[in-house]
């Protein structure tokens, strides 16, 4: 079988890149070992916050801002194409200080944000509580990022998959064993039940990217970092916007559910919701809004962030010709999906990227061939 582009993995990144490539007229085949979107992309909280997640100014912050700027149009586009609602909400993000230490950190950041002319508002405790009346009375102050947003990633991942399929991308169930590399160029993929020749390959296998032979990445370029989430049901919504504390966050959904997250755990691929993980996320939520104590816990889960060593994504071309990356998105893969799709599709098509991809190239993570990478392979 032959295709123009083979995409490994149908998480949000793989499906979004496939959507853009299919729209450009390419024949795209996406290989997914299980259910499209069912891993990290469905486990995320859906926070879209450059202000809290990319504190230092620089290329990563600019990438996050560029992706947020595209989000509303991206969400509306996939809603139209899929017929689904993805719960994109631009209600802003609050980062609240509940103790003196965090208040000091926020005050320092507020100064830098104001110097840089970035759109953050500095609130005292009373002002923060006027925005969110359920906030703890311990709130000493807050940063408010009014232009930030959230989305329901489970709905979004499903909608993008449907949109990509309707644009012509073909989705095949099957685990990719290796990327076929011959003469220094990627030539296709070998999966459980066959081989697909391709002019280009996009690796979008999330936390599992280094388990695909021939990945061409340095050792340690992507590792799993487990995150746990508990969902509370407050019926009538108790909170209206994303609220960060010092060690976690709460994310409201329109139907009154509140996601409480998360943990950052180096436990390999052990998928589990643990007593300590639950205690952590529920402690964070109750510190932020004590009245959540009465809410029912209705769901819990865990999954794996595809973490890169510097927490920034791996995008575009690397050391192997015709092999492209859309992986390593760490804590911000939902936020970065629109810009990833556009930038990686541009790289594959040989078009000008919407942002300079050099800071996100795999080569920044170290030269040389990583462990697990297949040598040239002519079978
Ligand atoms: C608890 C938690 C909370 C998070 N919260 C946020 C948030 O609020 N905001 C935000 O922006 N980001 C958040 N993230 C991060 C975000 O979820 C990820 O960065 C993003 O989903 C990565 O997308 P992906 O498509 O690369 O990975 P995935 O969604 O994991 O997709 C990878 C896909 O590849 C498939 N695959 C793997 N190996 C193979 C193979 N060999 N062959 C075929 N298919 C394969 C998998 O089955 C999977 O479907 C959170 C993550 C977690 C775990």
């Amino acid at each position: 079988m032959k295709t123009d582009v083979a995409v490994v993995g149908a998480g949000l990144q793989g499906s979004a890149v496939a959507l853009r490539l299919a729209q450009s007229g390419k024949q795209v085949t996406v290989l997914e070992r299980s259910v499209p979107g069912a891993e990290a992309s469905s486990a995320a909280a859906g926070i879209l916050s450059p202000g809290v997640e990319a504190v230092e100014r620089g290329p990563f912050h600019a990438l996050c801002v560029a992706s947020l700027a595209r989000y509303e149009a991206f969400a509306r586009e996939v809603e139209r194409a899929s017929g689904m609602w993805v719960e994109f909400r631009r209600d802003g993000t609050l980062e609240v200080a509940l103790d003196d230490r965090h208040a000091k950190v926020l005050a320092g950041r507020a100064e830098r944000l104001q110097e840089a002319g970035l759109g953050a508002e500095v609130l005292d405790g009373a002002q923060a509580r006027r925005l969110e009346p359920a906030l703890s009375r311990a709130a000493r102050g807050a940063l408010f990022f009014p232009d930030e947003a959230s989305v329901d990633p489970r709905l979004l991942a499903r909608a993008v998959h449907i949109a990509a399929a309707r644009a012509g991308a073909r989705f095949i169930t099957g685990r990719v064993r290796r990327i076929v590399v011959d003469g220094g160029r990627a030539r296709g993929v070998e999966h459980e039940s066959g081989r697909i020749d391709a002019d280009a390959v996009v690796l979008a296998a999330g936390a599992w990217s280094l388990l695909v032979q021939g990945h061409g990445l340095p050792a340690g370029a992507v590792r799993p970092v487990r995150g746990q989430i508990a969902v509370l049901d407050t019926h009538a919504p108790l909170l209206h916007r994303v609220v960060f504390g010092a060690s976690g966050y709460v994310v409201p959904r329109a139907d009154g559910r509140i996601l409480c997250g998360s943990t950052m755990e180096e436990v390999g691929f052990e998928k589990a919701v643990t007593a300590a993980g639950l205690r952590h996320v529920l402690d964070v939520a109750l510190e932020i809004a004590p009245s959540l104590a009465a809410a029912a816990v209705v769901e819990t889960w865990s999954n794996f962030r595809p973490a890169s060593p510097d927490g920034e994504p791996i995008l575009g071309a690397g050391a192997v010709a015709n092999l492209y990356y859309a992986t390593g998105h760490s804590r911000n893969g939902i936020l970065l999906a629109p810009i990833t799709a556009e930038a990686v599709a541009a790289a594959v098509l040989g078009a000008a990227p919407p942002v300079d991809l050099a800071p996100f190239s795999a080569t920044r993570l170290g030269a040389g061939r990583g462990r697990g990478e297949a040598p040239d392979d002519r079978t």
Side-chain angles (χ1 to χ4, degrees):
M1 186 179 149
K2 166 85 176 71
T3 188
D4 292 337
V5 186
V7 178
V8 186
L12 186 54
Q13 315 309 328
S15 291
V17 171
L19 170 65
R20 290 290 178 250
L21 286 169
Q23 287 171 331
S24 77
K26 290 285 176 196
Q27 192 185 63
V28 185
T29 304
V30 187
L31 291 115
E32 167 57 50
R33 55 168 196 185
S34 62
V35 177
E39 296 288 358
S41 298
S42 283
I47 301 165
L48 310 175
S49 178
V52 178
E53 289 289 334
V55 172
E56 301 301 327
R57 309 303 122 199
F60 180 57
H61 182 266
L63 188 78
C64 292
V65 169
S67 205
L68 180 62
R70 286 160 167 77
Y71 230 99
E72 185 154 12
F74 179 68
R76 301 296 169 238
E77 176 194 346
V78 297
E79 282 179 341
R80 272 194 307 277
S82 65
M84 290 177 61
W85 180 57
V86 301
E87 201 174 335
F88 174 82
R89 301 168 58 176
R90 196 182 289 283
D91 293 325
T93 310
L94 262 180
E95 184 175 356
V96 179
L98 296 164
D99 58 34
D100 290 337
R101 195 197 56 78
H102 195 196
K104 238 186 222 163
V105 173
L106 285 197
R109 274 185 41 218
E111 228 166 77
R112 277 185 288 150
L113 286 165
Q114 280 166 343
E115 275 164 23
L118 292 165
E121 295 170 15
V122 182
L123 308 182
D124 62 25
Q127 289 169 321
R129 275 193 299 277
R130 267 200 292 281
L131 277 183
E132 289 293 348
L135 270 190
S136 166
R137 300 206 64 77
R140 288 173 173 49
L143 286 180
F144 180 47
F145 301 90
D147 298 333
E148 295 192 344
S150 66
V151 70
D152 184 330
R154 229 181 245 188
L155 298 178
L156 181 69
R158 192 170 273 251
V160 174
H161 166 224
I162 293 171
R166 290 195 174 151
R170 185 165 35 159
F171 286 78
I172 294 181
T173 305
R175 187 172 70 84
V176 171
R177 274 202 290 259
R178 65 179 166 155
I179 295 163
V180 180
V181 179
D182 176 10
R185 311 181 83 77
R187 308 281 181 183
V189 297
E190 194 182 279
H191 64 101
E192 277 162 334
S193 44
R195 172 170 164 162
I196 298 177
D197 292 325
D199 297 333
V201 176
V202 177
L203 182 57
W208 299 268
S209 293
L210 293 199
L211 301 183
V212 180
Q213 286 177 41
H215 56 69
L217 291 168
V222 185
R223 68 184 197 286
V225 172
R226 187 173 71 188
Q228 302 185 40
I229 284 196
V231 185
L232 305 180
D233 193 348
T234 62
H235 301 290
L238 192 74
L239 293 165
H240 301 280
R241 43 184 66 74
V242 173
V243 184
F244 275 86
S247 52
Y249 51 74
V250 287
V251 180
R253 297 274 185 256
D255 62 5
R257 283 175 305 141
I258 294 188
L259 275 66
C260 311
S262 182
T263 55
M264 295 279 289
E265 301 167 273
E266 306 272 353
V267 292
F269 287 105
E270 193 186 324
K271 210 180 260 186
V273 174
T274 63
L278 274 185
R279 182 172 63 185
H280 172 77
V281 299
L282 293 176
D283 277 351
V284 167
L286 269 56
E287 277 167 19
I288 290 172
S291 50
L292 286 175
V297 178
V298 291
E299 203 181 348
T300 60
W301 62 73
S302 77
N303 213 298
F304 307 104
R305 300 175 187 86
S308 67
D310 56 12
E312 300 183 7
I314 303 167
L315 302 177
V320 179
N322 299 340
L323 174 54
Y324 301 88
Y325 300 100
T327 188
H329 288 78
S330 309
R331 293 171 59 94
N332 290 293
I334 307 303
L335 168 61
L336 292 170
I339 195 78
T340 295
E342 207 177 309
V344 174
V348 172
L349 296 168
V355 288
D356 178 18
L357 289 183
F360 309 108
S361 156
T363 52
R364 79 179 189 276
L365 300 171
R369 302 165 72 86
R371 240 176 341 124
E373 182 187 351
D376 275 4
D377 170 348
R378 287 155 212 277
T379 58

